[in-house]
Amino acid sequence: MDAAEFRRRGKEMVDYVADYLENIEKRQVYPDVEPGYLRSLIPEEAPEEAESYEDVVKDIERVIMPGVTHWHSPYFYAYFPTANSFPSLLADMLCGAIGCIGFSWAASPACTELETVMLDWLGKMLKLPADFLAGTEGRGGGVIQGTASEATLIALLAARSKIIKLIQADHPDRSETDIISKLVAYSSDQFCATLGTTPSCAFDCITELGPICNAVEIWMHIDAAYAGSAFICPEFRPLLNGIEFADSFNFNPHKWLLVNFDCSAMWVKKRSDIIGAFKIEPLYLKHDHQESGNHSHWQIPLGRRFRSLKMWFVFRMYGLKGLQAYIRKHVGLAKEFESLVRADQRFEISADVVLGLVCFRLKGSNELNETLLKRINNARNIHLVPCQLAGKFVLRFAVCARTTESRHIQEAWCHISHLASELLQELPH
Amino acid sequence: MDAAEFRRRGKEMVDYVADYLENIEKRQVYPDVEPGYLRSLIPEEAPEEAESYEDVVKDIERVIMPGVTHWHSPYFYAYFPTANSFPSLLADMLCGAIGCIGFSWAASPACTELETVMLDWLGKMLKLPADFLAGTEGRGGGVIQGTASEATLIALLAARSKIIKLIQADHPDRSETDIISKLVAYSSDQFCATLGTTPSCAFDCITELGPICNAVEIWMHIDAAYAGSAFICPEFRPLLNGIEFADSFNFNPHKWLLVNFDCSAMWVKKRSDIIGAFKIEPLYLKHDHQESGNHSHWQIPLGRRFRSLKMWFVFRMYGLKGLQAYIRKHVGLAKEFESLVRADQRFEISADVVLGLVCFRLKGSNELNETLLKRINNARNIHLVPCQLAGKFVLRFAVCARTTESRHIQEAWCHISHLASELLQELPH
């Protein structure tokens, strides 16, 4: 395929993508396929000879789409949202074309520099303490990680590296192995300090945890993977109070801030703590501007894509006000669903509805609720997943898609309520 | 931006991408900017109000391009290649639109299943032992990691988890901490067993290492990040002999197999070894088809993109023969450069030229070669990076871009040779 054919096929693909996203609610949100469905639909080996683009593209609807769970359908209420917006898709096209690997400043200066500035922009949107910003002379700063799991692992490794250096400064004879065997990490059953847990969007009290960690030199990492996006709204920013005690913080714009996966934003108060844990410098990566930000020292992978482009496109094309309106709309839809649940005496709300997640259940046994969920998901009209809260089986209703409107919430509740009625009628009285 | 505007802007972006890649050799391969150039070109904060797409797009040439190192220019010979092809760009557009997060089979069956089958396709292209394939009943299989660093880390963690279980089976009283403190990992100064090192594309003798590892139950991980792509050609496949002794193996199709970053292919002989090291199963991720492949148990991140789409597009649109021809062309270009160097008595070749990398230097001091490299890179006509081999400062010439032709190789050599002449004339006789 040459550039001329790409021009034609690329434009066809743009239309396919627009059609897909414009009409996504007409597709069944959760697929009907059984495990192993795909292997029988395609050859066992790669072709020897090149195939035509027509052959490939017609297999999208034949092979792929029947097995897709449509995360961007307004009937998708499972897990947490993953972002998808048109400006982000455009930026990703550009990112793919430039195709640079930004492991050092020299490997592509724009890639490293735009990322540093975008993390400052985002940090200011969240009103993070100035300690966390890079600015032109700051000691802190942000970096894009792939996922919150990676950010947490990085924080753990940085904390370990820092404390080993501190101990060895006083006791140069103590070996790293010996020190490591005595280190302790504290966590809840959701790990590290969490703002907005996955099961129920619960919040740890970091204003209580923080001073204790600071007093005894424990590295405090705060993960707000889902909830973090909401902190750009003044009314939700108090949920982040206590951030000043943290050493590192991350949340995922790729969840709820319209920046396509993957984009997990992570900040640290002292860049040197992280860089100290990861720095490697073979000759082939050395260059004249060594100190100008090598983000590969901030992460597990060496290679990295030009992911800040999609933040730049999204922040500019929505503006802060547009992003705030988006968050508020989703929270409003969750509140709307909550009030529908509360108005039905057969149901109970299982956790405070703070942002876009509603945890609810039928008053009754876990088995009853498991059956209800199974019927909801088997019907395929909407898609939910459960969680467990204090031993109870609970249904999670997360407002996910960019295209979800009030009518979808009403429709979803009608459907759940109807299935609940059917189920309850079958029970012996 | 709605779908209608995306149709228009997306098509403009397709043309921009095609223009960029078609005319990339007209751009200066390495930028002129100084560290910090970008911050002064854009505002200090995100805008409150949305901006227009025109405002954003005109900043690509004003803000971004002046700071880009053009990895896909035929004048780029630094590091190793990173892949970029039109079929891969098209697949990535589709991947972004579907935007599913494939952390379990249920989260998007097509995402998990296509990945398993594509890794089988690729494994067969490399003629990997059947142990490494998933098939319908195999115990092995492949997975896409982001980078070779992640694959190596996964292999280490899997090896550790496996040996702890083995030891605890015999000695149930020994704690994990105690066992870990006594574990040993062997590596060379390039780490793990490597086929095609970064400095010089050197090969460890895995037919010697393998039987020793197997005899004493050491997990053998083989990393062929760059070289692995070449093993699809029968004439280079012998470089992979000994793979039968390995427990895990990875290489990066995103380097040299025309699949855009990121796509590091990793195989294991026993899936259960890896899954055992990472398995977590909160209720919100449980589903009816638990055993149907949860790739999040194979990696550090929980989330994952639909990356196998780009393998599928590339393998089909090039065909095995097209991919082999691509590898052979690059190796041929490296051989062409090698013979130009060998014909010049002032230069020496510093390492066997096996694939697409030529390590060479002026006969003379390290300082002389450092000066030559500095002049080459300062001239900005081509871009190279150095390496250190047995104490010697060596220039690396890696054939990287999809569009590199013989004329570029000839031109690059003329330029290097000319700068060398200038430099040598300045020396006192």
Side-chain angles (χ1 to χ4, degrees):
Chain A
M1 179 180 285
D2 59 11
E5 193 185 353
F6 173 73
R7 286 178 203 273
R8 184 151 70 94
R9 301 312 189 178
K11 289 165 191 174
E12 290 171 9
M13 185 60 87
V14 165
D15 277 327
Y16 183 85
V17 166
D19 289 342
Y20 172 71
L21 291 171
E22 237 180 350
N23 300 297
I24 197 162
E25 68 181 278
K26 295 179 192 154
R27 293 179 188 260
Q28 182 176 289
V29 59
Y30 187 80
D32 283 323
V33 298
E34 290 295 314
Y37 89 95
L38 185 142
R39 193 177 283 271
S40 60
L41 297 179
I42 66 175
E44 286 181 19
E45 297 188 28
E48 283 278 325
E49 308 285 344
E51 296 181 57
S52 74
Y53 185 71
E54 282 86 351
D55 287 339
V56 176
V57 90
K58 72 170 193 277
D59 278 348
I60 297 171
E61 287 295 336
R62 187 182 70 88
V63 176
I64 303 300
M65 286 301 172
V68 171
T69 303
H70 300 288
W71 282 62
H72 305 290
S73 161
Y75 299 113
F76 182 92
Y77 301 104
Y79 315 110
F80 268 140
T82 185
N84 195 333
S85 69
F86 292 120
S88 187
L89 292 174
L90 291 168
D92 259 350
M93 289 164 66
L94 181 62
C95 168
I98 294 176
C100 63
I101 304 296
F103 46 59
S104 68
W105 183 86
S108 218
C111 180
T112 297
E113 296 205 11
L114 187 65
E115 184 163 331
T116 304
V117 179
M118 284 306 103
L119 272 285
D120 274 1
W121 276 24
L122 185 53
K124 289 174 189 172
M125 285 158 72
L126 295 176
K127 305 213 182 305
L128 287 185
D131 294 357
F132 286 101
L133 305 182
T136 48
E137 292 178 346
R139 295 194 305 166
V143 67
I144 301 175
Q145 303 285 352
T147 61
S149 314
E150 287 165 75
T152 306
L153 177 61
I154 298 297
L156 261 172
L157 295 173
R160 189 177 77 172
S161 161
K162 184 183 180 179
I163 195 73
I164 289 171
K165 279 180 202 157
L166 271 178
I167 292 173
Q168 284 185 331
D170 288 338
H171 309 278
D173 52 316
R174 289 192 61 180
S175 75
E176 201 170 298
T177 316
D178 172 48
I179 297 171
I180 287 177
S181 72
K182 296 194 170 51
L183 296 179
V184 175
Y186 295 90
S187 73
S188 75
D189 59 356
Q190 315 292 325
F191 209 73
C192 75
T194 309
L195 299 178
T197 61
T198 305
S200 65
C201 198
F203 289 77
D204 281 328
C205 185
I206 56 174
T207 49
E208 284 182 20
L209 289 173
I212 298 170
C213 291
N214 286 187
V216 295
E217 291 195 273
I218 292 175
W219 181 293
M220 182 160 82
H221 177 68
I222 298 178
D223 177 4
Y226 163 69
S229 298
F231 305 155
I232 64 167
C233 301
E235 67 272 32
F236 299 121
R237 176 59 178 74
L239 293 165
L240 187 59
N241 289 350
I243 183 66
E244 59 274 17
F245 301 113
D247 295 282
S248 53
F249 167 67
N250 80 281
F251 87 95
N252 295 348
H254 71 228
K255 278 200 165 63
W256 202 12
L257 212 57
L258 294 158
V259 180
N260 277 42
F261 187 87
D262 52 350
C263 179
S264 180
M266 179 185 192
W267 291 266
V268 286
K269 263 193 196 144
K270 279 196 197 166
R271 289 200 294 266
S272 55
D273 287 339
I274 286 221
I275 294 169
F278 292 102
K279 197 165 180 173
I280 53 153
E281 213 108 73
L283 188 57
Y284 53 82
L285 294 185
K286 279 200 204 298
H287 57 87
D288 286 345
H289 301 292
Q290 284 298 107
E291 300 316 316
S292 305
N294 277 17
H295 278 143
S296 64
H297 296 157
W298 297 55
Q299 58 172 20
I300 303 290
L302 182 61
R304 48 206 335 280
R305 280 174 295 132
F306 201 159
R307 289 177 292 199
S308 56
L309 282 175
K310 56 192 175 188
M311 300 174 86
W312 197 44
F313 274 50
V314 167
F315 296 165
R316 294 180 67 183
M317 295 206 57
Y318 280 88
L320 177 58
K321 286 186 184 168
L323 295 170
Q324 288 170 334
Y326 181 68
I327 296 288
R328 286 171 182 144
K329 179 178 170 187
H330 272 201
V331 177
L333 292 171
K335 297 282 184 193
E336 179 176 345
F337 186 82
E338 180 193 12
S339 53
L340 291 166
V341 177
R342 286 198 189 277
D344 188 326
Q345 295 303 314
R346 301 170 301 173
F347 284 89
E348 61 192 10
I349 293 289
S350 309
D352 286 348
V353 178
V354 182
L355 299 172
L357 175 68
V358 182
C359 291
F360 70 107
R361 67 197 302 280
L362 276 170
K363 293 170 184 165
S365 69
N366 283 348
E367 292 66 34
L368 182 71
N369 281 285
E370 281 190 57
T371 307
L372 175 61
L373 180 69
K374 196 159 278 197
R375 292 191 183 184
I376 292 170
N377 282 334
N378 284 348
R380 303 283 200 270
N381 294 42
I382 60 175
H383 188 50
L384 306 185
V385 295
C387 69
Q388 193 155 24
L389 295 177
K392 287 190 173 171
F393 186 96
V394 169
L395 282 67
R396 291 171 80 266
F397 184 93
V399 179
C400 287
R402 184 171 45 79
T403 50
T404 307
E405 301 290 343
S406 171
R407 67 183 169 89
H408 300 109
I409 301 293
Q410 296 291 334
E411 205 179 311
W413 175 249
C414 266
H415 180 61
I416 293 169
S417 167
H418 174 72
L419 291 175
S421 298
E422 277 187 358
L423 175 60
L424 292 169
Q425 273 172 9
E426 292 169 23
L427 294 182
H429 290 283
Chain B
M1 180 179 282
D2 59 11
E5 193 186 353
F6 174 73
R7 285 177 202 274
R8 183 151 72 94
R9 301 311 189 179
K11 288 165 192 175
E12 290 170 12
M13 185 59 87
V14 166
D15 278 326
Y16 183 85
V17 166
D19 289 342
Y20 173 71
L21 292 171
E22 235 180 350
N23 300 298
I24 196 163
E25 68 181 278
K26 294 177 193 155
R27 292 179 188 260
Q28 182 175 289
V29 59
Y30 187 79
D32 284 322
V33 297
E34 290 296 312
Y37 88 96
L38 186 142
R39 194 178 283 271
S40 60
L41 297 179
I42 65 175
E44 286 181 19
E45 295 188 29
E48 284 277 324
E49 307 287 342
E51 295 181 56
S52 74
Y53 185 72
E54 282 87 353
D55 287 339
V56 177
V57 91
K58 73 171 193 277
D59 278 349
I60 297 172
E61 288 296 334
R62 186 181 70 89
V63 176
I64 303 301
M65 285 301 171
V68 170
T69 304
H70 299 289
W71 282 62
H72 305 289
S73 160
Y75 299 113
F76 181 92
Y77 301 105
Y79 315 108
F80 268 140
T82 185
N84 195 334
S85 69
F86 292 120
S88 187
L89 292 175
L90 291 168
D92 260 349
M93 289 164 67
L94 181 61
C95 167
I98 293 176
C100 63
I101 304 296
F103 47 59
S104 67
W105 183 86
S108 217
C111 180
T112 297
E113 297 205 11
L114 186 66
E115 184 163 332
T116 305
V117 178
M118 283 306 102
L119 272 285
D120 274 1
W121 276 24
L122 185 55
K124 288 175 189 172
M125 286 158 70
L126 295 175
K127 305 215 182 302
L128 287 185
D131 292 357
F132 286 101
L133 305 182
T136 47
E137 292 177 347
R139 295 193 305 165
V143 68
I144 301 175
Q145 304 285 353
T147 62
S149 315
E150 286 166 74
T152 306
L153 176 61
I154 297 297
L156 261 173
L157 295 173
R160 189 177 77 171
S161 159
K162 184 183 181 179
I163 196 72
I164 290 171
K165 279 181 202 156
L166 272 176
I167 293 172
Q168 284 186 331
D170 288 341
H171 308 280
D173 53 317
R174 289 192 61 181
S175 75
E176 202 170 297
T177 316
D178 173 50
I179 297 171
I180 286 175
S181 72
K182 297 193 168 52
L183 296 180
V184 175
Y186 295 91
S187 71
S188 74
D189 58 357
Q190 314 292 325
F191 207 73
C192 75
T194 309
L195 299 178
T197 60
T198 304
S200 65
C201 198
F203 289 78
D204 282 327
C205 185
I206 56 174
T207 51
E208 284 182 19
L209 288 173
I212 299 170
C213 291
N214 286 186
V216 295
E217 292 193 273
I218 291 175
W219 181 292
M220 184 161 80
H221 176 69
I222 298 177
D223 178 4
Y226 163 68
S229 298
F231 306 155
I232 64 165
C233 301
E235 67 272 32
F236 299 121
R237 176 56 179 77
L239 293 166
L240 188 59
N241 288 350
I243 183 66
E244 59 276 16
F245 300 113
D247 295 283
S248 54
F249 167 67
N250 80 281
F251 87 95
N252 294 349
H254 71 229
K255 279 203 164 62
W256 201 13
L257 212 56
L258 293 157
V259 180
N260 277 42
F261 187 87
D262 51 350
C263 179
S264 180
M266 179 185 193
W267 290 266
V268 285
K269 263 193 195 146
K270 278 196 196 165
R271 290 199 292 267
S272 55
D273 287 340
I274 286 221
I275 294 169
F278 292 100
K279 196 165 180 173
I280 52 151
E281 213 109 74
L283 187 58
Y284 53 82
L285 295 183
K286 280 202 202 300
H287 56 87
D288 285 346
H289 300 293
Q290 284 298 107
E291 299 316 316
S292 305
N294 278 16
H295 278 143
S296 63
H297 296 156
W298 298 55
Q299 61 173 18
I300 303 289
L302 181 61
R304 46 206 336 278
R305 279 174 296 133
F306 201 160
R307 290 177 292 201
S308 56
L309 282 174
K310 57 191 175 188
M311 301 175 85
W312 197 43
F313 273 50
V314 167
F315 296 165
R316 295 180 66 183
M317 295 208 55
Y318 280 88
L320 178 57
K321 287 187 182 166
L323 295 170
Q324 288 170 334
Y326 182 68
I327 296 289
R328 286 170 182 145
K329 179 178 170 188
H330 272 200
V331 177
L333 292 171
K335 297 281 184 194
E336 180 176 344
F337 186 82
E338 180 192 12
S339 52
L340 292 166
V341 177
R342 285 199 189 277
D344 187 327
Q345 294 303 314
R346 303 171 299 174
F347 284 88
E348 62 191 9
I349 293 290
S350 310
D352 287 347
V353 178
V354 182
L355 299 172
L357 175 68
V358 183
C359 290
F360 70 108
R361 66 197 304 280
L362 277 170
K363 292 170 185 164
S365 69
N366 283 350
E367 292 67 31
L368 182 70
N369 281 284
E370 279 189 60
T371 307
L372 176 60
L373 180 69
K374 197 160 279 201
R375 291 191 183 186
I376 292 170
N377 282 335
N378 284 348
R380 304 282 200 271
N381 294 41
I382 60 174
H383 188 50
L384 307 184
V385 294
C387 70
Q388 192 156 24
L389 295 178
K392 288 190 172 171
F393 186 95
V394 170
L395 282 68
R396 291 170 81 265
F397 184 92
V399 178
C400 286
R402 183 171 47 78
T403 51
T404 308
E405 301 290 343
S406 172
R407 68 183 169 87
H408 300 108
I409 301 295
Q410 296 290 335
E411 205 179 312
W413 174 249
C414 267
H415 181 61
I416 293 170
S417 167
H418 174 73
L419 291 176
S421 299
E422 276 186 0
L423 176 60
L424 292 169
Q425 272 171 11
E426 292 169 24
L427 293 183
H429 291 284

